[in-house]
Amino acid sequence: MREAGRAGVPAAATRTGRRSGWPRRVVLVLCRIGLALGCLLALVRWTGWDDGTPLALLVPVLPYATAGAVLMLLTVVALRSWRPAAGAAVLVLVELCWLVPGFVPRGVAVPAGAPRLTVATVNTHVAGMDAAALVALVRREHVDVLAVEELTTTAVRDLDAAGLAALLPYREVHPEAGSGLYARLPLSDGGVLRRDTTWPQPTARVTVAGRVVRLVAVHTFYPLGDPGRWARDLAALRAELAADGPDTVLLGDFNATLDHAPMRRLLDAGLLDAAAELGHGRAPTWPADRAPLPPLLQLDHVLHGSGLAAVSTGAHTLPGTDHRAVVAELALLP
């Protein structure tokens, strides 16, 4: 007598069906786990729970999580699992609403004769950077203002020996604080911010075509070391910005991406990220020393007030540092 399975189906066929169906079930379980993690990340981004908490370490992966959510959506649709597909579709939509605006240029009209100011920022990786390569970049890009982070007395000496003093003779450097400003034009009102930040932030003013532009060389603490101190540093910059006008430029190593809540609050206070303004989206700058792997996170930024507009921006890899240098040409709006 032939052995029968459920509903008159032979037992052998039932076992074969179970075996052929298990890969689908495993894929669906993995997609559901990924969807749950993606929703958690989106919730952190939505609520700003990363502000001063270890959750700040999760937020930078948002652009890559969006790509993962798209892959999950395509997978569950192919498997005709409609409930997970609906959840993945909502997640993708929410994440794209956060990411897509950074790839859309703002299209600010810049008059042809508007004065220009080319600024740059680089983290020297505690004087590990090739000083000659940085000086060559300053010369090639006609940089007017350079902010340097993780600056040491050794780095100051190496940069001068490489010829930086001839290109950018004016300076507000504080190697004891780890940062400095170099400029082609005279600087005034130099010093460091009178704010409670982990490392002092050098500041100065430069006059361009009769307009005075406030400069701040930024280097905040990092969330992996102490998320509370990191958030307080960014909050201090936001408080400083409240006392400034629209002709302000903050540039440096913010140790924050555009998705971090403290960074978004800083932008909400009246600043624009030059790369996002031009539609470059998330422009990764770190780590830049893991070739052939590309940089993954945008930690270095040029931010400016409403009195200026970004004309161009780009990131440049220099030997000896784990951060890409960022160069931006800014126009002063009438």
Side-chain angles (χ1 to χ4, degrees), residues 105-119 141 272-280 302 304-305 307-314 327-334:
R106 293 184 70 245
V108 176
V110 177
R116 306 294 177 93
L117 181 69
T118 300
V119 301
E141 298 294 326
L272 291 169
D273 177 85
E277 179 186 5
L278 294 174
H280 295 179
V302 173
H304 64 83
L308 302 99
V311 177
S312 66
T313 185
V327 180
E329 183 182 10
L330 306 176
L332 278 73
L333 301 176

Side-chain angles (χ1 to χ4, degrees), residues 38-163:
C39 289
L40 175 61
L41 177 61
L43 183 63
V44 171
R45 167 65 166 79
W46 184 284
T47 59
W49 287 342
D50 59 299
D51 190 353
T53 74
L55 293 173
L57 301 177
L58 301 178
V59 172
V61 305
L62 182 67
Y64 307 101
T66 303
V70 171
L71 180 61
M72 283 189 293
L73 174 60
L74 296 175
T75 301
V76 293
V77 167
L79 294 177
R80 298 180 181 274
S81 183
W82 303 119
R83 287 185 179 178
V90 172
L91 179 61
V92 168
L93 180 62
V94 169
E95 292 178 336
L96 288 179
C97 287
W98 291 328
L99 295 178
V100 168
F103 292 89
V104 179
R106 293 184 70 245
V108 176
V110 177
R116 306 294 177 93
L117 181 69
T118 300
V119 301
T121 176
V122 65
N123 185 313
T124 72
H125 200 34
V126 196
M129 180 199 60
D130 186 327
L134 176 58
V135 172
L137 176 67
V138 169
R139 181 180 294 110
R140 183 173 67 249
E141 298 294 326
H142 305 287
V143 172
D144 298 309
V145 174
L146 173 68
V148 184
E149 301 84 54
E150 295 194 15
L151 185 67
T152 65
T153 53
T154 299
V156 172
R157 183 178 64 248
D158 292 345
L159 288 170
D160 284 342

Side-chain angles (χ1 to χ4, degrees), residues 198-266:
T198 304
W199 298 303
Q201 317 287 310
T203 182
R205 299 181 190 274
V206 63
T207 301
V208 182
R211 294 264 293 276
V212 179
V213 178
R214 172 80 180 280
L215 305 165
V216 180
V218 174
H219 191 200
T220 70
F221 205 65
Y222 46 98
L224 180 60
D226 186 333
R229 292 172 67 183
W230 163 77
R232 288 193 295 273
D233 284 353
L234 288 167
L237 293 176
R238 188 170 69 251
E240 181 69 22
L241 181 64
D244 267 327
D247 294 345
T248 303
V249 179
L250 278 67
L251 68 168
D253 177 6
F254 289 74
N255 274 309
T257 71
L258 298 181
D259 293 304
H260 278 117
M263 188 68 165
R264 288 186 282 120
R265 293 191 180 107
L266 181 59

Side-chain angles (χ1 to χ4, degrees), residues 3 6 9-22:
E3 181 183 2
R6 62 179 180 273
V9 179
T14 302
R15 290 193 295 270
T16 300
R18 285 198 296 267
R19 286 196 299 270
S20 62
W22 75 262

